Amino acid sequence: MEKQRVVYFDNASTTPMSNEVYREMIDAYGSVYGNPSSIYKAGRDAGELLAKARERVAKAIGAKPSEIFFTSGGSESNNWAIKGIAKANRDKGNHIITSAIEHPSVLESCRALEREGFKVTYIPVDEMGVIKYSEIVKAIGPDTVLISIMTANNEVGTIQPIRAIAELAKANEVAFHTDAVGAIGAIDINVKEIGIDSLSISGHKIYGPKGVGVLYVREGLKIQKLIDGGHQENDMRAGTENVPAIVGLGKAIEEVTENIEENNKHLRSIRKYFLKQVSTLIHNISLNGHPTQRLQGNASISFEAAEGEAVTVMLDREGICVSTGSACATGLNAPSHVLMAMGKEVEDAISTIRFTFSKYTTKEDIDYMAERLRKIVKKVRSISAIRIYKNKVEL
Ligand SMILES: *Cc1c(COP(=O)(O)O)cnc(C)c1O
């Protein structure tokens, strides 16, 4: 039997690992097993690998190595930043500002704090997914201790004005956290230049391994620990470090930040080709997110009256991996909170597919997908409850 081709357009969910990352990890697995906290040679060897990775991450974002803390991933980093900064500044105030389109690890951390008596303002976005800056200005009060706004949105690719928001936070003596998981490697980020107090990174969104991340914490920032225990990570995050994964993250961030322009050039051309193919073959579609202020690797498209869940399942049968713009809750096709915040109708939100590309995506991948997608969208529309409900015959 012929092996089915797999075409992967879901790089915002996770990226494949780069070969160089893999190689450095295998070396680390094969040669270094010591605990980096041990004082004998095997431990020191592991400690050296940690130090090197820390330097690589620091260099990639313009921080000091002592400001880099390894975690279990982007979710932990966001939990730590939000809960840790809020609680450490509880004497100053109990108000947090975030946006309506953050990743669940940010939104749910805020909800957890609300249950503990914190007040949270969820800033709305415009129809292109840009956070309303003027609403942040209005929301800041004497009790505000933290503003958390993502650098770029993972569903529609819109890049947020974090420089202006960081300045605003600073002027008001409020800490500024940003979830940069989707932005690292896509845009140049220098934490000192922008004025970021804490920033989250994840390994598996930048061609690195899963289950490892970073929280950058500006020197002097008031933040509580999230994981209590031993004295690892300068006594800020307990637990024996996952050395090979950290080595992989270090290599991954070095690779992506050294090749931002080259990768963006590739992604821009892939995206352009993709949009041309899809818009030629399929009608009644709309593109979500900001036209220019955006990640090049993301194309979120609403296919009128073609339920995203059905399209995704049918594409899977052809070996094509995409995801819906929606969080799939217990088998229900729940509309995406991001698309709803952008003012989409429910039926358009649930008829949305997110295609996310990588440095490995080729035009052949898109050619393979385009005609199959056309047929599938046509088929789904022919049986679509939305179409019948809205009395639309021609699509
Ligand atoms: C994937 C993602 C996260 C979570 O990172 P994990 O390492 O999977 O926990 C957080 N924020 C954004 C924007 C993401 O895309």
Side-chain angles (χ1 to χ4, degrees):
M1 213 175 88
E2 207 189 327
K3 196 164 167 263
Q4 192 188 32
R5 178 172 178 159
V6 172
V7 174
Y8 188 70
F9 292 134
D10 199 18
N11 290 278
S13 290
T14 195
T15 45
M17 253 191 347
S18 109
N19 283 333
E20 286 69 34
V21 168
Y22 176 74
R23 228 170 283 138
E24 286 206 18
M25 286 180 72
I26 290 296
D27 279 351
Y29 272 117
S31 62
V32 180
Y33 57 85
N35 186 321
S37 298
S38 303
I39 56 170
Y40 43 77
K41 174 91 169 52
R44 290 198 308 275
D45 287 349
E48 271 173 32
L49 291 183
L50 274 189
K52 184 177 174 194
R54 211 180 299 281
E55 272 167 30
R56 279 172 159 173
V57 176
K59 183 161 177 263
I61 61 169
K64 296 183 201 167
S66 59
E67 296 172 313
I68 302 302
F69 299 91
F70 293 111
T71 68
S72 66
S75 296
E76 184 189 323
S77 297
N78 283 333
N79 270 262
W80 180 13
I82 289 160
K83 294 171 183 172
I85 294 170
K87 289 178 186 177
N89 290 282
R90 187 70 182 82
D91 56 332
K92 245 186 82 190
N94 70 340
H95 179 233
I96 297 161
I97 296 172
T98 189
S99 84
I101 62 163
E102 299 292 312
H103 186 267
S105 56
V106 168
L107 292 175
E108 292 303 316
S109 292
C110 287
R111 302 234 191 272
L113 289 172
E114 282 181 294
R115 292 192 289 273
E116 293 180 28
F118 283 89
K119 301 268 175 282
V120 181
T121 305
Y122 299 89
I123 302 292
V125 298
D126 66 17
E127 67 283 359
M128 292 184 289
V130 182
I131 275 129
K132 291 185 174 162
Y133 177 85
S134 60
E135 297 288 324
I136 306 180
V137 176
K138 272 192 246 164
I140 295 182
D143 284 341
T144 311
V145 292
L146 170 66
I147 299 175
S148 178
I149 302 288
M150 68 202 322
T151 312
N153 181 266
N154 49 307
E155 283 191 29
V156 296
T158 301
I159 294 171
Q160 304 301 336
I162 60 159
R163 194 175 288 270
I165 298 168
E167 275 170 24
L168 178 68
K170 189 165 191 184
N172 287 276
E173 290 174 37
V174 173
F176 175 59
H177 171 71
T178 189
D179 172 359
V181 169
I184 293 288
I187 55 176
D188 194 23
I189 299 172
N190 183 308
V191 291
K192 303 293 173 194
E193 213 180 87
I194 301 173
I196 296 167
D197 291 307
S198 65
L199 172 143
S200 300
I201 297 168
S202 173
H204 73 106
K205 305 289 176 76
I206 53 171
Y207 310 102
K210 294 169 183 57
V212 64
V214 163
L215 185 66
Y216 153 77
V217 179
R218 177 182 58 73
E219 198 172 271
L221 179 71
K222 277 173 77 180
I223 182 167
Q224 276 187 10
K225 291 173 75 169
L226 181 71
I227 310 287
D228 294 304
H231 303 296
Q232 290 89 353
E233 295 296 291
N234 205 18
D235 209 10
M236 289 286 279
R237 197 272 185 184
T240 303
E241 293 91 344
N242 183 350
V243 177
I246 290 169
V247 165
L249 187 152
K251 180 62 186 170
I253 198 166
E254 182 182 270
E255 273 195 307
V256 294
T257 51
E258 281 177 358
N259 295 297
I260 291 178
E261 265 176 49
E262 189 191 323
N263 285 337
N264 275 338
K265 197 174 155 214
H266 170 72
L267 291 172
R268 195 172 292 120
S269 115
I270 287 289
R271 184 171 189 271
K272 202 173 157 195
Y273 188 71
F274 167 85
L275 292 177
K276 186 165 164 278
Q277 298 290 84
V278 172
S279 59
T280 310
L281 291 171
I282 308 169
H283 297 286
N284 298 72
I285 65 174
S286 57
L287 189 55
N288 302 308
H290 199 282
T292 54
Q293 203 176 298
R294 62 169 305 99
L295 300 177
Q296 293 305 322
N298 167 301
S300 165
I301 297 184
S302 300
F303 297 89
E304 195 180 331
E307 287 88 340
E309 215 69 10
V311 173
T312 303
V313 168
M314 289 171 78
L315 283 171
D316 175 46
R317 283 196 217 143
E318 305 280 344
I320 300 163
C321 315
V322 298
S323 72
T324 55
S326 62
C328 193
T330 59
L332 292 172
N333 198 350
S336 143
H337 70 287
V338 175
L339 296 170
M340 293 308 286
M342 288 163 64
K344 285 251 162 198
E345 300 292 335
V346 176
E347 57 264 37
D348 291 329
I350 64 168
S351 304
T352 301
I353 299 283
R354 179 186 70 181
F355 302 84
T356 44
F357 314 117
S358 80
K359 62 179 177 180
Y360 303 116
T361 309
T362 62
K363 289 188 175 161
E364 289 72 43
D365 289 338
I366 290 167
D367 290 338
Y368 178 84
M369 188 240 9
E371 181 56 25
R372 288 173 172 83
L373 180 67
R374 183 189 70 79
K375 285 192 188 133
I376 287 169
V377 167
K378 191 174 175 196
K379 179 144 196 195
V380 173
R381 279 174 172 169
S382 74
I383 55 169
S384 164
I386 299 171
R387 187 180 60 87
I388 294 161
Y389 172 70
K390 291 185 89 183
N391 260 328
K392 295 212 172 180
V393 186
E394 292 295 335
L395 266 180

